[in-house]
Amino acid sequence: MKLLVTGGLGFIGSNFIRYWFNKHSRDTIINLDKVTYAADQRNLIGIEKYNYTFVKGDISNPKTVFTLSKNVDAIINFAAESHVDNSILNSSNFVKSNIIGVHNLLEAVRKYGTRFHQVSTDEVYGSLPLNSKLKFNEKSRYNPRNPYSATKAAADHLVNAYFNTYKLPVTISNCSNNYGPNQHPEKLIPKAIINTVREMPVPVYGSGLQIRDWIYVEDHCSALEQIIKNGIYGEIYLVSANGEKRNIDVIKSILKELNKSEKLINFVNDRPGHDVRYAIDANKIIRELGWKPRTKFEKGLRLTINHYTKNLDRYLKKVSI
Ligand SMILES: NC(=O)c1ccc[n+]([C@@H]2O[C@H](COP(=O)([O-])OP(=O)(O)OC[C@H]3O[C@@H](n4cnc5c(N)ncnc54)[C@H](O)[C@@H]3O)[C@@H](O)[C@H]2O)c1
């Protein structure tokens, strides 16, 4: 296959490119990335041995998107502004990349009939109560509660509308929180690891009782592979590894694994409008596409800690606290 991967220098996109070449070494990948602060060429060191081309460019530029979408078998869109806190400060770039960018990709798909997969998030469904057993599934109502998730929801609606109107070969996945190598240290787990190693305060929003549903990034990549190969056009697939954990417990596991004191935990003011709990029912993709996650949280966390401690220098330059 010849794939156009957008946002492939970021966290999940770079893991996906590596995952794909490991499984399909003779395929071709074009990686279109704007190279924002979240991108890092070092995420893909050694990738040149495969049929890999990097193009610096912006999915919000229709000309770039149309030129690169011609003659590819599939487009997988990871390109997005992805940090909720940044969207609270200023959401202009979120609208541009996450909505207008997806609109451009869909227009190219409409013109060329290319297979398209939109990588989306469980955050489009909003927040669940802390003390409940409820989980989101494919029938849950969209209820985005911050500018980031609102732009991702808008993009999902565009994809669904283009399927309904033009019957295009499109799919969407809404995945829970990813962790693993290559994530920018603005995010909870890498930031906690890096600060713990440096014996610096580890910031925790509010009470730390918020629950996230964690999945190791490689398991997300294998779910995407299943959807790209066998997904039904027009369908949405929710992806998770049944990994609900309280933020405070994730931090405590990191401190324990690195043999550091819980005194490093530093409770800071909560994020405005902070969602309290995400939980995903992934039965549809398990049942219909035969996918299953393989990495237990404890093992994934150990692999993740190893990656950041081994590559500390690279991440130290990016960390703000
Ligand atoms: N990180 C998670 O836990 C998670 C969970 C579910 C879904 N997602 C989704 O997965 C996708 C990837 O997330 P991530 O965590 O890897 O993000 P990231 O911020 O690490 O990477 C995003 C990449 O997209 C690039 N990019 C941004 N705007 C662009 C544009 N206009 N044109 C081209 N490239 C652009 C950046 O340079 C960067 O390399 C996003 O769409 C996100 O919404 C993330």
Side-chain angles (χ1 to χ4, degrees):
M1 284 180 93
K2 185 171 181 184
L3 306 183
L4 173 62
V5 171
T6 57
L9 287 185
F11 167 42
I12 307 174
S14 62
N15 278 285
F16 176 81
I17 290 175
R18 253 188 220 292
Y19 175 90
W20 193 272
F21 277 138
N22 275 337
K23 300 276 298 274
H24 314 279
S25 58
R26 301 171 81 156
D27 282 1
T28 296
I29 296 182
I30 302 167
N31 175 11
L32 168 64
D33 197 296
K34 184 179 165 187
V35 195
T36 68
Y37 76 96
D40 196 330
Q41 297 278 3
R42 288 168 295 186
N43 289 341
L44 286 174
I45 284 172
I47 213 73
E48 303 74 22
K49 68 178 181 212
Y50 297 105
N51 300 319
Y52 170 80
T53 310
F54 173 68
V55 179
K56 183 174 178 184
D58 189 333
I59 58 166
S60 67
N61 179 341
K63 200 164 161 239
T64 307
V65 167
F66 272 76
T67 308
L68 293 174
S69 301
K70 218 192 274 180
N71 303 322
V72 296
D73 299 309
I75 303 171
I76 300 103
N77 179 36
F78 296 89
E81 289 294 336
S82 69
H83 193 38
V84 175
D85 289 349
N86 291 343
S87 80
I88 292 169
L89 292 172
N90 182 350
S91 49
S92 305
N93 278 337
F94 288 72
V95 170
K96 212 172 144 202
S97 296
N98 302 5
I99 306 179
I100 295 173
V102 172
H103 180 253
N104 287 335
L105 289 164
L106 287 168
E107 280 295 297
V109 168
R110 183 152 86 95
K111 180 161 181 192
Y112 301 121
T114 321
R115 173 83 176 87
F116 176 74
H117 181 73
Q118 169 68 0
V119 181
S120 190
T121 166
D122 61 352
E123 298 196 29
V124 298
Y125 297 111
S127 184
L128 289 165
L130 268 188
N131 299 314
S132 81
K133 293 210 163 13
L134 289 174
K135 290 186 175 216
F136 294 125
N137 62 38
E138 286 77 4
K139 295 197 171 65
S140 299
R141 189 170 72 90
Y142 272 47
N143 184 24
R145 289 158 38 91
N146 58 59
Y148 160 70
S149 53
T151 60
K152 293 298 290 184
D156 288 7
H157 288 317
L158 278 172
V159 177
N160 285 326
Y162 268 61
F163 174 75
N164 186 52
T165 311
Y166 307 112
K167 302 291 174 267
L168 301 180
V170 298
T171 43
I172 300 174
S173 54
N174 298 89
C175 188
S176 60
N177 282 66
N178 287 223
Y179 67 100
N182 301 353
Q183 191 169 29
H184 193 283
E186 66 191 356
K187 306 278 171 37
L188 181 80
I189 289 185
K191 182 184 273 186
I193 296 170
I194 289 161
N195 282 15
T196 302
V197 172
R198 299 188 293 167
E199 303 202 359
M200 306 257 306
V202 179
V204 179
Y205 278 133
S207 59
L209 298 180
Q210 309 88 351
I211 292 178
R212 299 292 178 261
D213 188 349
W214 293 99
I215 181 170
Y216 191 59
V217 64
E218 195 176 285
D219 283 329
H220 184 189
C221 294
S222 71
L224 293 172
E225 181 191 25
Q226 277 303 322
I227 298 168
I228 292 157
K229 292 196 158 172
N230 302 315
I232 308 289
Y233 301 158
E235 292 289 314
I236 291 178
Y237 297 93
L238 265 54
V239 180
S240 96
N242 214 2
E244 277 187 70
K245 304 241 171 296
R246 300 188 310 177
N247 286 349
I248 188 70
D249 294 332
V250 171
I251 304 291
K252 285 182 180 171
S253 301
I254 292 169
L255 290 163
K256 189 165 172 219
E257 193 67 35
L258 286 164
N259 265 322
K260 301 286 180 195
S261 159
E262 289 186 9
K263 287 187 186 140
L264 287 176
I265 295 173
N266 178 31
F267 292 98
V268 297
N269 286 343
D270 209 354
R271 169 189 278 166
H274 205 177
D275 291 343
V276 289
R277 176 171 166 253
Y278 302 138
I280 287 288
D281 171 356
N283 272 318
K284 176 177 169 179
I285 184 170
I286 292 170
R287 202 177 51 243
E288 294 183 8
L289 301 185
W291 170 80
K292 63 171 187 241
R294 301 201 173 275
T295 316
K296 294 248 177 313
F297 184 76
E298 293 67 27
K299 181 179 169 206
L301 188 63
R302 228 168 290 129
L303 292 169
T304 307
I305 290 174
N306 279 346
H307 170 81
Y308 291 96
T309 46
K310 271 197 193 141
N311 296 282
L312 197 60
D313 282 353
R314 181 181 143 187
Y315 291 101
L316 277 179
K317 294 190 185 87
K318 302 181 188 178
V319 82
S320 55
I321 301 175

